[in-house]
Amino acid sequence: MTKVLIVAGERPQQKSVLVEALRRFRAQGASVGIVGDVDADALALEPGLAEVRTLAAEPADPRLRRALARITQPSRALWVRAWADPWTRRWVRTADVLVALDSTAVHAVWEMAQRQPRADACNGIGAAGRIVRARHEGTHRVARRASERLSARAGIVVRGARRAAVTGARESLEAAMAPAVLRSRVGGRLWRSAVAAPGLPERVRVALAYRVHLRSVQADAPRLAAATTAAATGRIGGRKSRADLLTREASAELDLGRVPVCLTEAVTAELALADEFLPRQQARAAKSLYKAMRLLFHRVPHFDQLSSPLAERPAEFLAPLRASATARAMATPRGRATPAAAPPADRPLRLLIMTNGNAHFLREIKERYAEAPGVELRYLHLADDPVAAPLTHNPAGIVEHLVAGRSEYGNRVEEWLRPHLDWADTLFVDWCVAAAGMTTLVDPGDTRVVMRLHSFEAFSFWPHLIDFSRVDDLVFVSDHLRDLTCEVVPALTGEQAPRLHVIPNAMDLRRYDRPKEPSARFTLGLIGTSAVAKDPRWAIEVLRRLRADDERYRLVLVGGGLDPKASESVRQYQAELTADLAELEPSGAVTRIGHTDDVPGVLSGIGVILSSSVRESFHCALVEGAASGAVPVARDWPFFAGREASARTLFPADWVVGTPAEAAERIRAATATEDVWRAEGAAAAGHATKTWDWSVVRHDFDELFLPGRQA
Amino acid sequence: MQSRLSPLAALTRAGRRRPRRGARPHVIYLAIGFPPAAKSSAYRMRETANQFAAAGWDVTVITIADESWEREYGLDHTLSEGVDPRIVIERLPLARTDLETDIRAFSEARSLHPQRWIEQQRRQELRIFPEPVFGGWRPELERAVLRVHQEHAADLLMTTCAPYVNLAATWRLWQEYRVPYVVDFRDGWSVDVIGGGAAFTKDSAAGRWEEKVLAEARAVWCVNEPIADFYRERYPALRDRVRVVRNGYDEDCVPATPHRPDPEAGLTFGYLGSINFAPALLDSVLTAWRMARREDPLLARSRFEVRGHIGAGALREANAHMELLRAAAGDGVEFGGPLAKAEVAAAYGRWDALVLMLVGGRFVTSGKVYEYAASGLPVVSAHEVDHDAATVLAGHPLWTGAVGLDPRRLADSFTAAARLAVEATDEQRAAAQAHARRFARGAQLAPAVAEATAMVTGAATGPGSDGTSSEGGQA
């Protein structure tokens, strides 16, 4: 019997091909083991086809973990992990054929082959198939001499010694990059010159520049990091090497929770590479474009800090994208073959509501049109659709399709979406994220396409992945979000742009009208604290100022907390917030209430509702608080402050403040007496209900979906 | 890039007579991919060599060792059966190292970073000759043509590209012995047949090589008019020497009897050819096939048989295309591996309609389009609308037309082809075959070979001048 050991360094890309090969092996009497980074459950092989051994990503043995930490090459790490595994060693000892399933696995098979001289060692399942067949048919020949076995054994010893020497040299190099050395003028100059030394092989220059750059960032020497990179890239001729270095540096800095020193340079280099590929290898160009966009719109600069370069200087920040031919190819409007048809006159409108995001903002809309006689409603959350759900996780697929004009991904979307488009008269996609991007890959026929953009999308790459020439109407929830998005996405102001609307969020505000206890007067509330953008520390600062004069004021934080695993910068914010809370919670000055479904109940104990965020599109929680009779105090959201439209134009002027001091001042005045507080609260509740209650806003939606008709 | 010998030495050598064997002129044919290599270009090479032999030439083919093709698409010995036995074949010990699958042959560095190792190889190859993968073959090829010429003086060097490194050996023989040469450029070099326009500039290393070698060529053959026009424009001095020699089809690939479909049992659509286009193209066709099957009961009970070579080296029959085909097995799609040349006619005979999947646009014609046209079967076109294959198929009565690669439109083409397969009359099938007759390979090559012969020997030694036919050689 032929024993075949297959080594996989990554998830098998061609699963059907692998299964087919395993079936052939079985038919030819071979027994098969598969080892590596494979998930036996995901592979779901039929019984008897192969034994699957998944290597632990984090081995239990501390010595092995330390050894792995020193290895930078994934292929080498795979070998070390595999050889430490007793199951694998047993299989290697008796294997007749060793197979590398992918390029990461080649080295492990190469090492195994040195230790098992009898076995064939081949690259690829196809080559393995030919060997297994030849063995089965008795036509296989092996011609390896004893001297080869000897030299293989000697080679193992020699390589071990060489590797130890290289490790020692690398550790010495690391010592010369200690923070103190890098912060010193001499050290900085030394490394800057070293990476720019003439005649240095490109691979060595790139590796050295990367290390110096990163160590400089960690040593809080960003200028040295930038100077080192500039010096090195000035000597690197290849666009790919340059882009790889800059992208790798930027990614490592993002992992550290920092906005990369050379973010613009990295994005520009990656886009230059994309443009080089564009004429002949569009899929490859798309890959580079997507890489650049992931850097440009990474959560660290836009979501996990209290400012965003996109909000501060959009034109400058997006300039590399605007200059890229590949990005322009992606943004080329494809239009639709036929215009959207008018709503049918002889039957109810078929309305399909679709989202792959938070469905919270759809509740009132769904309820209204589910019961409206003039509408036949279908609702689809893509997470519940087994075909569509995996498609929502592939923005790279959207980019490739837009750049190349065709793709396997686009074909899958077409197959899935077409029946829905054939049914619907109007398709409403909530959130301008994956579902929206997928929708515009397909010509919608005569179906009218309506989309809604809330807030965070404007700071992400998603709106750039939507072909707005295939969208008829785009709804924003506020003027300031519309203005910023139009500034960021040129397709929204072009000839083929959709009609733009501003319709507030659908909220049933009457359910918040409940009596408040007198004690609520000194209770500030902040509802929603799960993002850095909510900036709860601003609210704490307001509280500190109030309590400096009057210790009756307290703050209630409602909602789930931050997720420090999201990024290093979130972790840093969380650490500072935790220190604040450690100081204020024991005295009862701050109370945290986790997630609750009874927001009206919680609001009955809150007398002042805060919006401390750096950015919001609308801030429903503030409006709901106002509707409950709490005094609203909204920070002039810094992302939009000073623009034509902002928190100051969305809300009555007296609701909005610029600083914690102004906030404290307004709160003191509005809570000076119980009567004043109740009167302020009642006025705010009246304004909120008259302006934003669903009974008012629903007419805007009726007009949007059924212009000139009754729902 | 010049000969290492001085110009004077070259002239001296050029004047020196090499040994001759009899009165027949001798052509060295640099044809990497000559049978039994299972490559689509092998058909054209076989016919070219056979026609030279039939026209009274001694022919020495220089190619690479048979076992080297095992790393690529393998061997088809039925192709060799049609090679004129008078043709001498020199097989050089050259092989593509990038396609090596025996890991024991790898260095440790290659095992650690397979892709980086290949990139380094490419850079080294480019230093030898500006063609990745094959550039490193230059010294061996140069030595081979010189040796063959020294043993049996050549009157003509016929060189066919790709690989373009053949141009270096061609130039070396010209430099040292002034042996005239014809370049069968097929798809050209500096023309980007996929994207259109120029693939490289005239002042690049490749550009300088191309300009220099073509300038001295007696003739330059291209497979279609757009490519020929590209070269006429790029090198106006070559205008009169550039000619179109279309690939054409081999008559033995055409089924002998008219086809009879069995709609009750379902139809069989076929594809035959190398699967070397982007996976997205194959996916568009398979998506269209699924959509068409959902809508048309006849197609729902039909099959789609795909035959040909997929991938090379470690990815041979284990790449993204293969995954798509295996995953489509439940939709009546079947991959049956490559077909030997001798089995081609039988395959066309049992299929009801054909699917023509092609890359590129107006600069690409392909070889299979001629066979498809001559088969007398309905043809679904899966390629760009502006494609040279459309020029060949224009007027073909059983062609569903070029609709691009949108799956929705391709699905309609499948439906239309199914209808044609069931409804076509014998007359329509005969008319389809008659439409293609002008593209018979022998007829395409004969004038070009005769012209080359006349250019060199000054005699009008046309095909069959020694009383033998080129069709199938002497086999």
Side-chain angles (χ1 to χ4, degrees), chain B residues 21 24 46 62 102 125 138 164 224 243 259-260 335 390 400 418 429 431 453:
Chain B
R21 292 180 193 165
R24 288 165 66 92
R46 182 178 74 170
I62 297 178
D102 181 2
E125 285 148 3
R138 179 182 171 188
Y164 304 100
N224 60 32
R243 67 169 299 155
H259 184 73
R260 296 280 177 265
F335 173 68
T400 59
R429 294 178 192 281
T453 301

Side-chain angles (χ1 to χ4, degrees), chain A residues 206 210 213 226 229-230 233 236 239-253 260-270 295:
Chain A
V206 166
Y210 172 74
H213 180 97
T229 295
T233 51
I236 296 172
R239 276 200 181 128
K240 185 172 183 309
S241 301
R242 201 160 45 226
D244 284 352
L245 170 64
L246 285 158
T247 302
R248 198 168 154 224
E249 288 173 353
S251 303
E253 288 173 80
V261 173
C262 300
L263 179 60
T264 304
E265 289 81 354
V267 169
T268 306
E270 201 60 59
L295 287 179

Side-chain angles (χ1 to χ4, degrees), chain A residues 116 162-163 406 412, chain B residues 104 108 283 287 290 384:
Chain A
Q116 171 47 296
R162 197 179 57 209
R163 204 162 280 122
R406 76 177 74 98
R412 294 291 79 72
Chain B
R104 287 189 184 280
E108 186 188 15
D283 187 71
T287 304
R290 274 194 292 273
E384 297 293 350

Side-chain angles (χ1 to χ4, degrees), chain B residues 237-383:
Chain B
L238 278 183
R239 181 166 290 275
D240 299 334
R241 282 177 277 161
V242 174
R243 67 169 299 155
V244 173
V245 181
R246 287 187 171 272
N247 279 322
Y249 68 94
D250 296 313
E251 308 239 18
D252 58 356
C253 292
V254 179
T257 51
H259 184 73
R260 296 280 177 265
D262 179 1
E264 291 310 309
L267 304 174
T268 303
F269 282 69
Y271 170 84
L272 174 59
S274 300
I275 296 165
N276 51 9
F277 33 77
L281 194 159
L282 176 61
D283 187 71
S284 291
V285 169
L286 295 176
T287 304
W289 169 254
R290 274 194 292 273
M291 291 166 87
R293 275 165 66 88
R294 274 207 300 256
E295 294 158 7
D296 185 329
L298 172 57
L299 283 166
R301 58 177 183 271
S302 297
R303 293 167 56 249
F304 180 11
E305 190 180 329
V306 177
R307 305 300 300 263
H309 297 283
I310 297 186
L315 297 179
R316 188 162 164 193
E317 293 191 5
N319 59 6
H321 304 84
M322 200 66 206
E323 180 66 15
L324 288 169
L325 289 168
R326 292 284 183 227
D331 302 310
V333 178
E334 189 182 305
F335 173 68
L339 266 178
K341 178 76 167 170
E343 299 168 22
V344 171
Y348 286 127
R350 68 171 187 275
W351 288 342
D352 300 293
L354 303 172
V355 183
L356 182 66
M357 293 186 265
L358 291 175
V359 288
R362 58 185 293 267
F363 289 103
V364 177
T365 314
S366 84
K368 59 180 157 276
V369 64
Y370 302 104
E371 256 177 34
Y372 275 36
S375 68
L377 296 171
V379 179
V380 173
S381 260
H383 50 69

Side-chain angles (χ1 to χ4, degrees), chain A residues 14-17 20 75 107 110 113 116-117 119 121-123 159 162-163 203 280 406 408 411-412 415, chain B residues 101-104 106 108 111-112 116 192 198-199 279 283-284 287 290 314 318-320 323 326 384 405 407:
Chain A
Q14 278 89 44
K15 195 186 148 194
S16 305
V17 173
E20 181 69 22
S75 53
H107 180 66
W110 187 86
Q116 171 47 296
C122 63
N123 187 14
R159 284 194 306 278
R162 197 179 57 209
R163 204 162 280 122
R203 199 158 59 85
R280 285 177 201 93
R406 76 177 74 98
E408 291 173 49
N411 291 340
R412 294 291 79 72
E415 268 185 303
Chain B
T101 56
D102 181 2
I103 290 180
R104 287 189 184 280
F106 286 18
E108 186 188 15
S111 77
L112 276 164
R116 187 193 293 173
D192 175 3
D283 187 71
S284 291
T287 304
R290 274 194 292 273
N319 59 6
E323 180 66 15
R326 292 284 183 227
E384 297 293 350
L405 292 163

Side-chain angles (χ1 to χ4, degrees), chain A residues 271-318:
Chain A
L271 290 172
L273 189 62
D275 291 352
E276 186 174 302
F277 283 123
L278 184 64
R280 285 177 201 93
Q281 297 182 57
Q282 288 161 340
R284 184 68 191 73
K287 210 175 257 184
S288 274
L289 170 60
Y290 179 59
K291 242 176 168 178
M293 293 181 75
R294 296 220 345 164
L295 287 179
L296 205 56
F297 296 102
H298 194 276
R299 59 176 298 144
V300 166
H302 306 297
F303 299 102
D304 297 345
Q305 321 259 339
L306 297 176
S307 62
S308 156
L310 183 66
E312 286 168 4
R313 39 189 170 86
E316 186 190 332
F317 186 73
L318 295 174

Side-chain angles (χ1 to χ4, degrees), chain A residues 603-638:
Chain A
L603 281 169
S604 67
I606 289 173
V608 178
I609 185 76
L610 298 178
S611 173
S612 56
S613 308
V614 289
R615 65 169 169 79
E616 288 288 351
S617 58
F618 189 76
H619 210 173
C620 291
L622 179 87
V623 173
E624 287 162 358
S628 79
V631 174
V633 179
R635 181 181 185 181
D636 188 8
W637 304 317

